[in-house]
Amino acid sequence: MRVLVGVTGGVAAYKAAEIIRILVESGHEVRAVPTANALRFIGVATLESLTHNSVHSELYSDVEDVRHVEMAKWADLILVAPATASFLARTVSGLADDLLGNVVLATKAPLVLAPAMHTEMWQNKATVSNVAKLRERGIRVIEPAVGRLTGSDSGIGRLPDPSYIVQSALSNLVPKDLAGKNVLIIAGGTRENIDPVRFIGNRSSGKQGIALAEEAVARGAMVELVAANFSYYSPEIETTEVVSTSELISTLEHRESNFDFVIMPAAVADYRVEHPSENKIKKGAAGEELVLTLVENPDVISLLSKRLRIANPKVVIVGFAAETASETALIDLAKGKLIRKELDMVVANEVSATLGFDRDSNEVVLVGPDFEHTVSGTKRAIAKAIFDTINR
Ligand code: PMT
């Protein structure tokens, strides 16, 4: 895809370099158009070397090329990051007094703006009204993040993480085939306390769950994410963090039941310590051996499946199966879980020290009552294949 990255004059302009790098590394062709003020914060040499294209910000140089029209037609997508309060105001008014303003006015490509400014400026009535007008016109305005700002102050107004901006901007072009659907993703690994400082846990990072949640949002769904022992922030995803399996169960019991899709890559502890110690267990206090009695945890997805199917018989419930087995045995084990846990699909995942957990890519088999498809690639590609399969 051909992405034109506009950069306006704010301290966060340095993050445009990372945004461009991610886009180029993902195979997109990128051109950058900084405003004159952006060039106070980031240099032409940086933008040219990262985009591998020449960079112009002047409207009145090489006028015979009619550059703003050529660029406006060239772009499949225009992303302005950071977008200052002044740029938002100029875009609302259709002010075209520099190259970027002219390109934005002349293009038919989707426009995505990632504002960054101080909290007071973001919350000023003028900016609030400008953002509302831009959104009414179908322009996507990404919510700024909350965090440290330029000075010693903190609040809303920070430019979100570059990878989030890229993913959010590209999702603008994805067909919204999950619009109106409610999706619940349960991810991460639960932990069971041994004492206040030690726990039994597993290596799940939550990456597969995040990929599923972001894919669903990109396709227009309303998404809730239950995150066991990882943190994730997105203004578009309601996230609840949990620690233990019992906390996961009580969180799910208090959830609405109107989901269309429930997907659970979570690695749930099958057992918990029967009597966790209230105080830190001292070395040697129990002699040379410390014996812990473990009791079985309930099967969360089976409980959920029974409850949700009463509320909505059409709900589609997808579990995962993490196994250290060969592919044939993996599929047989997944088929067993499909029936035993009353699921619509099981994503069979061979796991080992180098596969599955805490990696950006994976290889899985999607196992349904009458199909088996092998999918490999990034966790986002696997998320896409899962939704393509269940949203038919
Ligand atoms: O988080 P990442 O680092 O990205 O790693 C992703 C992953 C490897 C964790 C994921 O791809 C995966 O394979 N998840 C399944 C982990 C697992 O615990 O599988 P299982 O075979 O033990 O459980 C089968 C299904 O039952 C799972 O959907 C599980 O969430 C559910 N379960 C298991 C036990 C239990 N007490 N309650 C459950 O609901």
Side-chain angles (χ1 to χ4, degrees):
M1 188 189 306
R2 294 184 296 205
V3 186
L4 191 141
V5 178
V7 188
T8 68
V11 175
Y14 76 94
K15 290 191 187 168
E18 179 67 1
I19 290 170
I20 292 169
R21 193 187 61 75
I22 296 171
L23 282 166
V24 170
E25 280 181 2
S26 315
H28 301 289
E29 203 183 330
V30 181
R31 288 164 85 179
V33 180
T35 61
N37 283 336
L39 294 177
R40 296 170 189 257
F41 295 94
I42 187 166
V44 168
T46 304
L47 297 171
E48 287 191 336
S49 53
L50 289 169
T51 58
H52 310 295
N53 274 311
S54 55
V55 167
H56 306 272
S57 67
E58 272 287 314
L59 184 59
Y60 296 109
S61 61
D62 307 319
V63 177
E64 69 276 15
D65 294 340
V66 199
R67 186 167 284 127
H68 64 288
V69 175
E70 180 272 318
M71 286 181 141
K73 285 190 178 147
W74 173 87
D76 296 317
L77 172 73
I78 296 184
L79 165 64
V80 182
T84 58
S86 160
F87 182 78
L88 300 180
R90 281 185 282 139
T91 308
V92 167
S93 310
L95 256 184
D97 55 358
D98 62 2
L99 181 59
L100 184 59
N102 275 270
V103 173
V104 163
L105 208 57
T107 195
K108 288 193 172 141
L111 177 60
V112 179
L113 308 178
M117 63 197 73
H118 272 273
T119 306
E120 291 74 13
M121 294 171 78
W122 175 248
Q123 291 174 341
N124 187 292
K125 282 185 183 160
T127 309
V128 171
S129 148
N130 287 337
V131 169
K133 282 180 193 154
L134 291 165
R135 284 179 173 154
E136 265 167 36
R137 289 179 203 166
I139 294 171
R140 181 150 159 66
V141 181
I142 298 174
E143 281 291 302
V146 176
R148 183 80 191 269
L149 301 170
T150 313
S152 55
D153 48 346
S154 297
I156 189 164
R158 196 179 151 82
L159 193 72
D161 188 55
S163 56
Y164 172 74
I165 291 180
V166 170
Q167 166 255 312
S168 203
L170 296 179
S171 73
N172 222 43
L173 304 176
V174 171
K176 305 290 177 216
D177 60 346
L178 293 176
K181 304 284 184 194
N182 291 315
V183 175
L184 173 65
I185 310 288
I186 306 159
T190 59
R191 289 177 185 174
E192 305 298 341
N193 274 356
I194 297 172
D195 67 16
V197 296
R198 303 180 180 94
F199 58 82
I200 298 173
N202 62 69
R203 294 192 295 111
S204 173
S205 61
K207 284 184 178 178
Q208 185 62 71
I210 292 171
L212 283 158
E214 291 181 346
E215 175 70 15
V217 166
R219 291 164 77 152
M222 294 288 291
V223 180
E224 289 184 37
L225 172 67
V226 179
N229 297 298
F230 67 94
S231 294
Y232 177 73
Y233 171 76
S234 158
E236 289 150 317
I237 298 172
E238 188 190 327
T239 304
T240 310
E241 293 183 20
V242 296
V243 177
S244 64
T245 307
S246 63
E247 205 184 327
L248 170 63
I249 292 170
S250 69
T251 296
L252 294 172
E253 276 170 1
H254 293 99
R255 274 274 173 297
E256 292 288 326
S257 315
N258 60 338
F259 292 104
D260 299 288
F261 298 107
V262 175
I263 309 178
M264 187 162 178
V268 179
D270 287 319
Y271 294 90
R272 67 182 183 280
V273 179
E274 187 175 26
H275 298 296
S277 171
E278 281 183 16
N279 300 306
K280 184 185 170 195
I281 300 170
K282 296 272 183 270
K283 188 181 174 194
E288 284 189 357
E289 276 186 10
L290 174 65
V291 179
L292 295 173
T293 304
L294 303 181
V295 290
E296 200 175 9
N297 274 327
D299 195 81
V300 181
I301 202 166
S302 302
L303 292 177
L304 194 64
S305 167
K306 286 191 179 64
R307 185 166 71 82
L308 295 185
R309 287 187 200 285
I310 295 169
N312 174 15
K314 288 189 178 162
V315 61
V316 175
I317 303 181
V318 178
F320 275 60
E323 306 288 354
T324 49
S326 68
E327 185 165 329
T328 331
L330 179 71
I331 293 170
D332 286 345
L333 290 164
K335 281 183 177 163
K337 286 182 183 173
L338 188 74
I339 296 164
R340 219 170 40 251
K341 298 185 185 229
E342 297 177 44
L343 304 174
D344 298 291
M345 186 167 90
V346 169
V347 180
N349 195 179
E350 188 194 335
V351 289
S352 67
T354 53
L355 282 176
F357 291 107
D358 199 13
R359 310 220 142 224
D360 293 325
S361 52
N362 205 355
E363 180 169 327
V364 299
V365 187
L366 309 187
V367 180
D370 52 7
F371 62 85
E372 290 155 25
H373 305 309
T374 300
V375 188
S376 62
T378 59
K379 286 189 172 169
R380 184 65 182 260
I382 287 165
K384 180 176 180 308
I386 291 171
F387 281 112
D388 287 348
T389 308
I390 59 179
N391 186 39
R392 285 195 178 140

